[in-house]
Amino acid sequence: MTPRFLPFLLSVSLCLGRAVASPPNVVLIYVDDLGYGDVSCYGAKPGLTPNVDRLAREGLKFTDAHASSATCTPSRYAILTGEYPWRRKGTGILPGDASLIIEPGRVTLAQVFKDAGYATAAVGKWHLGLGDGNLDWNAAIKPGPLEVGFDECFIMPATTDRVPCVFVKDRAVVGLDPADPISVRYDRPFEGLPTGKANPELLRLQASHGHDMAIVNGVGRIGYMKGGAKALWRDEEMADRFTAAAVDFIKRSRGQPFFLYFATHNIHVPRLPHPRFLGKSGMGTRGDSIVELDWIVGEVLRTLDEAGLAENTLVVFTSDNGPVVDDGYRDDAVEKLGDHKPAGSFRGGKYSKYEGGTRVPMIVRQPGKVAPGETKALVTQIDFVASLAVLVGREGPIATAPDSRNQLAALLGADGVGRESLVEQGVGGLAIRRGRWKFIPASNGPRMNKPTNTELGNDPAPRLYDVEADPGETRDVAAERPDVVARLREELRGASTAPLP
Ligand code: NG6
Ligand code: CA
């Protein structure tokens, strides 16, 4: 090679080096209560979810991906911190007036991106608490998402069925009239205001269990609130509002790397999709909420296409816990379920230690980077922090994410095995997966979550299942394989009692 070519070659290779090293934008679509079998590409009836199916066609579909837990707050804590939630007190399902449970300054998933120069935003469901005690909803709402790595947010504080039923943008309630301040509490009603319990005649959606406190938009909620009339959300518009915020962030962030945490309120109860989706699924409002969710996914994909960002954006689609049919309202979900199987072939669902509790749909797409297909790799959302840190070029371990491991190769499809083992959290305890084995220790907890009619996986005898041969966890093989039982019992004990860093 003659020396005069060197500068040219050097600049080409530097350019290529930069192009190869240039990390993609990341859009994480985090769905609420979507079960393994709830979308067509995972076994629901054809045509229900064309946009999610497109994602699966163009991306990598996981068949053994897990949320950390079978309910919302702990799974969200895990995906954002990289720490198993059961290591900390206070990480169960939070009321809407709870304080923030992620310590400000921690290296969260959002902070990883922020430190790498990304613009970061949280849109949709939060449910990780806000403030640090006695929060005044009429003043600056902090600490919150902006103190744990997000540049901006447009969120609902807790769940669709918990007060306060308002949107929070950055640190303020959207549309709040100072002359009509908001008060929120969970311990007793506000005098003079109707409740679902005292005034069921005011409800347009009856509760099947709980949900009998404040009445907002004719729907009984959990918790009590007063004031803020102009700021109250309208349930039927929530998908449009959140989608508009997500689309706006993507469009504004074009030209710089960005991370969008888009946590949909679909398909949690109360299921009140926009009227344009009513009747579209033929499965009642739970199915219609899935159709609305699919529209949301379509809007995100369309925005990326139109902005020319599809190639350089890693889209991750997954859910915070397994499915539930009746979660507290008399919508028509049970009656109209038909032969739809929300948890696919898995046992249990939301709240449960069986696979239906944490095994969720997960699709990863980046055209040209992630080869389309299907993978059996065992993966967990807890590993997003460490894995995506590697994606954006961060070096060194993250001390506050002790359970998060670099599984980037599995997430991008290069490694078809993934983790050797992971811990699953149901209501009332833990279970462990190692390869094909699933061990559930003995537990005297209730067998059923009665109101939702879900098997919890609590059993006075320890159980062992071969989930490869028997995905439905129907045949206990503990007596046949005492060696595996002993090994997994020990491993779970070790993992759950390991000292905190
Ligand atoms: C339960 C609620 C349920 C749902 C759940 C949290 C009752 C009877 N049940 O306590 O409706 O809100 O909490 O769901 O109130 S999660 O997906 O946010 O974890
Ligand atoms: Ca949930």
Side-chain angles (χ1 to χ4, degrees), residues 32-33 70-76 92-94 125 127 158-162 208-213 221-222 268-270 320-322 324 326-329 350-351 449 451-452:
D32 200 358
D33 293 3
T71 54
C72 171
T73 300
S75 287
R76 282 158 209 263
I93 299 170
L94 291 178
K125 178 173 180 173
H127 210 190
T159 62
T160 325
D161 56 350
R162 280 174 178 74
S208 58
H209 43 270
H211 301 110
D212 59 357
M213 303 181 204
R221 315 277 169 164
I222 307 172
H268 197 278
V269 295
D320 69 335
N321 53 250
V324 56
D326 175 355
D327 206 14
Y329 293 98
K350 180 175 180 176
Y351 308 111
N449 182 277
T452 62

Side-chain angles (χ1 to χ4, degrees), residues 183-496:
S183 310
V184 176
R185 66 190 185 205
Y186 274 65
D187 57 349
R188 61 195 193 285
F190 289 99
E191 221 167 286
L193 291 184
T195 63
K197 192 169 185 178
N199 309 89
E201 74 284 358
L202 297 179
L203 299 174
R204 62 176 168 132
L205 182 62
Q206 296 295 323
S208 58
H209 43 270
H211 301 110
D212 59 357
M213 303 181 204
I215 301 178
V216 177
N217 299 333
V219 179
R221 315 277 169 164
I222 307 172
Y224 303 97
M225 73 177 290
K226 191 174 117 178
K230 285 190 187 143
L232 296 176
W233 70 49
R234 280 187 284 274
D235 299 80
E236 286 80 352
E237 291 173 4
M238 291 181 84
D240 286 348
R241 297 290 296 269
F242 286 140
T243 305
V247 164
D248 174 58
F249 173 73
I250 294 173
K251 285 184 176 163
R252 271 190 290 117
S253 304
R254 206 185 151 178
Q256 69 184 105
F258 63 86
F259 167 59
L260 170 63
Y261 172 79
F262 186 7
T264 68
H265 81 293
N266 303 69
I267 63 166
H268 197 278
V269 295
R271 303 165 185 129
L272 294 162
H274 190 277
R276 69 184 184 274
F277 298 106
L278 287 183
K280 294 291 186 229
S281 68
M283 297 192 308
T285 49
R286 184 175 186 278
D288 296 346
S289 181
I290 295 175
V291 174
E292 187 178 61
L293 166 73
D294 187 70
W295 170 82
I296 293 171
V297 172
E299 289 301 291
V300 170
L301 298 184
R302 188 160 65 87
T303 306
L304 292 173
D305 287 341
E306 288 174 3
L309 293 169
E311 305 274 307
N312 197 35
T313 301
L314 185 79
V315 177
V316 181
F317 172 91
T318 190
S319 174
D320 69 335
N321 53 250
V324 56
V325 182
D326 175 355
D327 206 14
Y329 293 98
R330 281 187 223 286
D331 53 17
D332 45 7
V334 175
E335 295 78 0
K336 296 201 171 149
L337 193 62
D339 57 6
H340 178 74
K341 292 196 170 46
S345 55
F346 302 115
R347 190 168 177 179
K350 180 175 180 176
Y351 308 111
S352 151
K353 281 187 267 186
Y354 291 120
E355 290 294 283
T358 62
R359 208 194 279 211
V360 286
M362 180 164 133
I363 302 166
V364 173
R365 185 196 81 164
Q366 190 186 352
K369 179 89 184 183
V370 176
E374 193 171 296
T375 174
K376 281 164 51 174
L378 179 64
V379 295
T380 165
Q381 294 163 5
I382 291 172
D383 292 337
F384 283 12
V385 173
S387 306
L388 298 179
V390 172
L391 180 78
V392 300
R394 188 184 185 109
E395 281 171 14
I398 299 170
T400 60
D403 299 304
S404 195
R405 306 197 196 141
N406 172 19
Q407 287 287 331
L408 188 62
L411 295 180
L412 301 183
D415 161 24
V417 177
R419 269 187 175 236
E420 288 180 338
S421 69
L422 55 79
V423 177
E424 299 177 7
Q425 180 183 29
V427 170
L430 307 176
I432 187 165
R433 276 282 310 280
R434 171 167 278 273
R436 65 194 306 154
W437 301 112
K438 163 82 172 271
F439 173 66
I440 310 180
S443 159
N444 290 317
R447 282 188 189 237
M448 296 294 286
N449 182 277
K450 282 233 179 67
T452 62
N453 200 25
T454 311
E455 284 188 294
L456 289 173
N458 295 321
D459 199 308
R463 301 289 184 196
L464 181 71
Y465 300 100
D466 175 349
V467 293
E468 221 167 276
D470 172 29
E473 294 167 278
T474 57
R475 213 172 70 81
D476 171 34
V477 293
E480 291 154 47
R481 296 301 304 263
D483 55 324
V484 181
V485 168
R487 196 151 40 90
L488 291 186
R489 178 182 285 132
E490 220 24 67
E491 184 176 348
L492 181 56
R493 189 176 296 143
S496 58

Side-chain angles (χ1 to χ4, degrees), residues 165-166 175-177 180-183 225-232:
C165 300
V166 294
L176 181 65
D177 175 358
D180 182 23
I182 292 178
S183 310
M225 73 177 290
K226 191 174 117 178
K230 285 190 187 143
L232 296 176

Side-chain angles (χ1 to χ4, degrees), residues 107-127:
V107 183
T108 61
L109 184 59
Q111 192 66 42
V112 160
F113 286 105
K114 197 176 159 99
D115 289 347
Y118 279 57
T120 58
V123 172
K125 178 173 180 173
W126 184 241
H127 210 190

